[in-house]
Amino acid sequence: MCELLGMSANVPTDIVFSFTGLMQRGGGTGPHRDGWGIAFYEGRGVRLFQDPLASVDSEVARLVQRFPIKSETVIGHIRQANVGKVGLSNTHPFIRELGGRYWTFAHNGQLADFQPKPGFYRPVGETDSEAAFCDLLNRVRRAFPEPVPVEVLLPVLISACDEYRKKGVFNALISDGDWLFTFCSSKLAYITRRAPFGPARLKDADLTVDFHAETTPDDVVTVIATEPLTDNENWTLQQSGEWVLWWGGEVLAKGRV
Amino acid sequence: MCELLGMSANVPTDIVFSFTGLMQRGGGTGPHRDGWGIAFYEGRGVRLFQDPLASVDSEVARLVQRFPIKSETVIGHIRQANVGKVGLSNTHPFIRELGGRYWTFAHNGQLADFQPKPGFYRPVGETDSEAAFCDLLNRVRRAFPEPVPVEVLLPVLISACDEYRKKGVFNALISDGDWLFTFCSSKLAYITRRAPFGPARLKDADLTVDFHAETTPDDVVTVIATEPLTDNENWTLQQSGEWVLWWGGEVLAKGRV
């Protein structure tokens, strides 16, 4: 199994606090030693930092922890390999361009006997995760040859994720930089922080942040993770089949299949 | 104008020495303050480091200089903006997946009145460079719906580059991680280092490396740059219309249009 980390915010926000907690699980407090990656959107551009090394040993992870990149949308992942060897081409998140936007994707789980129809988008590595991402993009592209608003393509995302879930475990984060779509198959939790902000204490490292000192009263920041990252806040645990479409830290749409 | 940096080698080689020279031109000895980027292939995977900041001021550039990433194929770029604002989505190199491989691309020059036919690949940012890259990929995809060896698709690369050159200035580096294709429209130089290796002295920084101490006798490493990066070696200056297909540091094919 792997661990996911997502963020959707209405102002550029740094995710150093949550990332620090997640990175501890990459070979420190957790067994996820087979690489990690994190994608930060900056406008329509995206910065992707990845390493096939365990995050606790990774020089690139230390850079990301030191360097407070501010972003409105983030997707991160630490990996415990099941399908596909340890290596950069099998490291999440995966990126593809669709309709002039960079889409990013990270997955926790595994899919049994997953042989999607070949299409325009093709996996570079060997993971079932990247194969599912390419298949999902091929479905979107077949349904909508020209870009459409996310509300219009949402049913394609939901039905694809529901189908993948039936082949195993499929917790996933998908984004084009503006919206963030989350799908829970077995395990996913979130917290939305807004005024009045208080302190938050990491479960996996001796670190507390007082968000009151770091934010303005209008900030809305949602963090999504496989398991709650803090032990003094009320995270919402999602049920199997629950999906949420986030935008600017807020729920734009949600449902359950 | 921008500056290009490419490397093709027969063993994983670190490019810290050449990168250090190039980075000095990003706001230090040169005027290229509008961002920089470098893509390192690791197997079929690729690491992309980018920053819209001047390279001399960039925290990410310092990481890349400290952290000797070894790669057989590298494409780097520093930018002095002409078309498109300064920002991550306009920062080279650009990446797309084609046929299950990541293709990367960097360009020096500008194209006048360039309005390529829309296709499957679409630019995310506003540069003429990314528009040309997408157009080139669309041509390859139209000509070869299934992946083919580079020798087969080479004529498509050459004719596309020749066409772009007629619209302005088009010095470019393109790679899928195995091969590296270089096209000279106005300015491009290269050096192939092989045994017996000697010392090399950077023009742009007070730094000399003795490659003899860093290499084995079988290593072949070609470095391609807009202008020679060292002042004590014989670089080959390319002529307008010259193209080279590199593989493992060696010329696989070359010609002039």
Side-chain angles (χ1 to χ4, degrees), chain A residues 15-33:
Chain A
I15 197 169
V16 168
F17 176 72
S18 301
F19 184 73
T20 299
L22 187 77
M23 290 295 97
Q24 295 304 314
R25 297 185 185 172
T29 57
H32 314 88
R33 296 199 63 88

Side-chain angles (χ1 to χ4, degrees), chain B residues 70-135:
Chain B
K70 294 204 173 203
S71 177
E72 291 169 33
T73 313
V74 174
I75 287 185
H77 183 270
I78 52 176
R79 179 165 188 239
Q80 186 181 7
N82 43 55
V83 178
K85 62 182 188 301
V86 175
L88 196 58
S89 61
N90 289 334
T91 304
H92 306 225
F94 299 101
I95 299 200
R96 294 291 187 277
E97 175 260 313
L98 187 153
R101 299 296 298 255
Y102 294 120
W103 286 44
T104 54
F105 170 85
H107 166 221
N108 153 338
Q110 62 287 321
L111 307 178
D113 187 28
F114 183 61
Q115 306 288 348
K117 265 194 293 195
F120 197 94
Y121 295 97
R122 300 191 184 186
V124 173
E126 302 105 33
T127 62
D128 49 355
S129 307
E130 191 189 12
F133 180 41
C134 291
D135 182 65

Side-chain angles (χ1 to χ4, degrees), chain A residues 2-182:
Chain A
C2 307
E3 296 221 17
L4 297 171
L5 174 66
M7 187 185 78
S8 171
N10 68 348
V11 286
T13 302
D14 91 59
I15 197 169
V16 168
F17 176 72
S18 301
F19 184 73
T20 299
L22 187 77
M23 290 295 97
Q24 295 304 314
R25 297 185 185 172
T29 57
H32 314 88
R33 296 199 63 88
D34 301 326
W36 63 275
I38 189 162
F40 300 88
Y41 284 92
E42 272 183 37
R44 296 184 138 216
V46 60
R47 284 177 193 276
L48 178 63
F49 294 98
Q50 289 182 313
D51 212 328
L53 289 176
S55 50
V56 293
D57 299 329
S58 164
E59 183 71 29
V60 186
R62 277 187 284 273
L63 169 84
V64 176
Q65 279 172 267
R66 256 199 327 268
F67 181 46
I69 298 166
K70 294 203 172 200
S71 177
E72 291 169 32
T73 314
V74 174
I75 287 184
H77 184 271
I78 52 178
R79 179 165 187 238
Q80 187 181 7
N82 43 56
V83 179
K85 63 182 189 301
V86 175
L88 197 59
S89 62
N90 289 334
T91 304
H92 305 227
F94 299 101
I95 299 200
R96 295 290 188 279
E97 174 261 311
L98 186 153
R101 299 297 296 256
Y102 294 120
W103 286 45
T104 54
F105 171 86
H107 167 221
N108 153 336
Q110 62 285 323
L111 306 178
D113 188 28
F114 183 61
Q115 306 288 346
K117 264 193 292 194
F120 196 94
Y121 295 96
R122 300 191 183 185
V124 173
E126 302 106 30
T127 62
D128 49 357
S129 308
E130 192 190 11
F133 180 41
C134 291
D135 182 65
L136 183 144
L137 294 173
N138 286 326
R139 288 170 190 235
V140 170
R141 203 73 190 235
R142 277 195 297 270
F144 305 104
E146 291 299 314
V148 293
V150 64
E151 297 85 340
V152 178
L153 61 84
L154 188 57
V156 178
L157 299 184
I158 297 165
S159 69
C161 291
D162 189 32
E163 212 175 288
Y164 306 145
R165 176 176 62 141
K166 289 172 182 147
K167 295 182 186 298
V169 175
F170 192 79
N171 303 297
L173 308 178
I174 309 166
S175 179
D176 83 336
D178 284 335
W179 51 263
L180 173 66
F181 178 81
T182 62

